[in-house]
Amino acid sequence: PQPSLPDPRSSTRPLHIMVDKSTLAFIWALVPGIVILFVVLALFSYLRPRRPIIFDFRRTLTTRDDIDALDCNGQHIVTPPPVGDGWFGAFKAALAYSDDEMVESHGLDMVMYLRMQKVMFGVFSVATLLTAAVLYPVYATAGNKDLPKDDASYVAGLDIISMANVPTESARYWATAVVDVILTAIVISAMAKLYAEFASRRIAYRKKNWPTSYAVVCMDLPANYTNSKSVYDYFDGVFPGEVLDVNYVQDGTEILNMKKLYWKAVSKREGLEYKFSTPKGAAKGRPEHRPAACGACRGVEKVDSIEYWQGEQDRLTEEIRNAQEASESLAPRFCAVVIFASKAAATTAAQLQIGPATTLFFRDLAGEPNAVNWPRISMKASMAPVFSAISWGMMFFFIVFWGGVVAAVMGLANLQSLADTSAFSWLSPVLDWPEAIVGLIEGLLPVVVLIVLNMLPVIIMGILVKLERWHSLTVTESQFQKYIYIFSLFGVFIFPVLGSALLTDIQNIISDPSSIPTILASSIPKGGNFFLILITLQALFTNSLELLQIVRVIVQPIFGLLFKTERGRRKTEAFGSDQSFPDPFATSAVIFLVGMGYSTISPLICVMSTVYFGLQYLFQRYLLCYTKIRPIDGGGIMTQNAFQQIMFSLFFKTLVMASLLGLSSSYATILEGLLFPVIIIANMYLRKKYDNVIDYGDFEEIRGTEDDSSLTKSYGPKYVNPGLKPLPPYVNLNGVASAKIVDDVENGKVEEVEMPVLQMDVSTDSSEKLAAAENVEPQGDVVSAADPGEQEVQ
């Protein structure tokens, strides 16, 4: 008798069908990721108590009483209570610190970012349970897995629990559409609740007696407004008795450049003083150099380096003072910051068109004093559209050019299709390698390459957006967030979806272009494995490295060897502590787009999206509470962009699903089509209800709050161009503890050497510095709240 063969439609599947190349690629990402996660947690628990300067940086600042220990609002840095022991002691302490407390101590930007991560974690947790209960059995019991292996619709591995396993025109698509409708309702409900909370917190933010609540920035003033008096007279005529001060913007670029040179001279001299104070340096004698480019070539005589840089410091001090005394002659920039006596007058002036002349200039509530973008606000109005056009032109170039880049990367994920073409037939031997290696090449490698390559456009756009003419650094960050999302929409989602789908059967597309719709319908669901691996890497690898702060852990000891002065030590300690939010907010919106976009196509992606947002919330809550400093606080304004991006992502996801179901010849696409007006109406309703109060606060509540006149009168000097602020009393931070060099005669290293007394010019104590925070220059390491213009690290 002939031996019976296994029925290919049997529920008992061979192992090679359940574990294909895409499954192996996912395992390549998942298993090492879990290992790295636990290794990082172990290292974190070990390093945290031993490296508090990194893992408890905010607490180290609370023990200091100098200007570097002030936050963006000029208040002393606050940190939550100390953390507990064990692997999870740090996270428990961070979770116990309430959002309301964190708003007061850390700012609204940090709180709203964490709130968004928590909401996304909740959304995907529900999506995970819902898809597991409904779609897993619907997809797993479908029939494409039983087709012959050479059939284009055949699936194996992880694709068995995806839409790719469902035949065309199957009634099972109704289950997909129903789950999609439920998930859409959950997302809209969650985002509506988050946006309402954000509006409520913004109303409270605008009610506070902070400088931004009283300051209005005016740009592109008419030509007859050339000084503070002319601007004051205009606004005082419209708001009698409400205008306290006007700071007219003049071109202080040259003075700011001189201040940079001044702090360079200070750092150079202090470094040389420290070096000369060591036994080794003293034995070599006082340092000398030739003060010119290629001084040796030009025969320039050597000079005493310490005396030279002291002379440069004195010279620049005098030149800066003289330039500031002659500031009236500086070119006007037709911009001004107007300080009002009440929040109600300021918010009214920022919104109303109060006369024909006002249509000629821009007005808005100014940012916090240290967030005013002085270098860009001084730019000529005619140059603003030029730099904006450069940024958008580069964005358009990246979008177009990146289509080819992504196509090349996605070719790695479709080696079989490429090998079937004559041009890439040389790839055929690669397919004979062990399946685990081919899975690594086709599944994991393209994702890693794409993540790395996508960093380049983000870096370039980050440089270009700083050149644009935005009056506040928070507005600049908000614009940067938009650029990142727009590029990621194409570079991370659209191009990989289309590239992977089209390359899956490129030979048929070349021979029969009319087959593209059919190929897209069967190939797009199979692309879910690519995005599953992408989110897995972000969840386990990226989150882990962020928690460990690997760059700070490696770089700080190196900087410690290079910078020995007190000024250098502070710079080293602060390295990597500044928190910026454009990229995190935009990344969250993109991860939502990818995860929710494939939530009903490849439901397993909901699990990894839940892991991503859960770890992101947990790890970032600790990092923001204890280790990060926000140099500027925008009042959570990037949440407004993130809301729009998530709502657009939801709309785009619905468009993809409706198209996919339509290509699959399913009437369930009608149900998807009904979601379009729901999403649009919900978005319009929430924006109309909350956007104005988010921008300007609740006028009735603002008018009902009491204005502190003693505070508002002090806000004028805070909005002075930093180039026009006098240099602060100099404090020597060379780190030399004594005028006498401590040698090591006993060990016979050097002979005892006497050195001249180094003057420790300390002309103001810490309490005076804190009391005069608005007039203090950054001490070369951390930009103070009073000097928003000197953003560069000296």
Side-chain angles (χ1 to χ4, degrees), residues 171 186 441 444 461 481 495 509 575 713 762:
I186 291 172
I441 296 174
L444 186 60
M461 293 309 302
Q481 177 192 1
F495 290 155
I509 291 176
F575 174 80
K713 290 179 181 178
V762 182

Side-chain angles (χ1 to χ4, degrees), residues 91-109:
F91 305 121
K92 290 179 180 178
L95 291 172
Y97 197 60
S98 71
D99 289 341
D100 292 336
E101 292 175 303
M102 197 172 179
V103 166
E104 298 298 325
S105 59
H106 291 64
L108 193 52
D109 283 339

Side-chain angles (χ1 to χ4, degrees), residues 445-460:
L445 185 59
V447 178
V448 175
V449 172
L450 188 65
I451 290 174
V452 174
L453 289 178
N454 280 347
M455 293 179 183
L456 178 61
V458 172
I459 293 172
I460 294 177

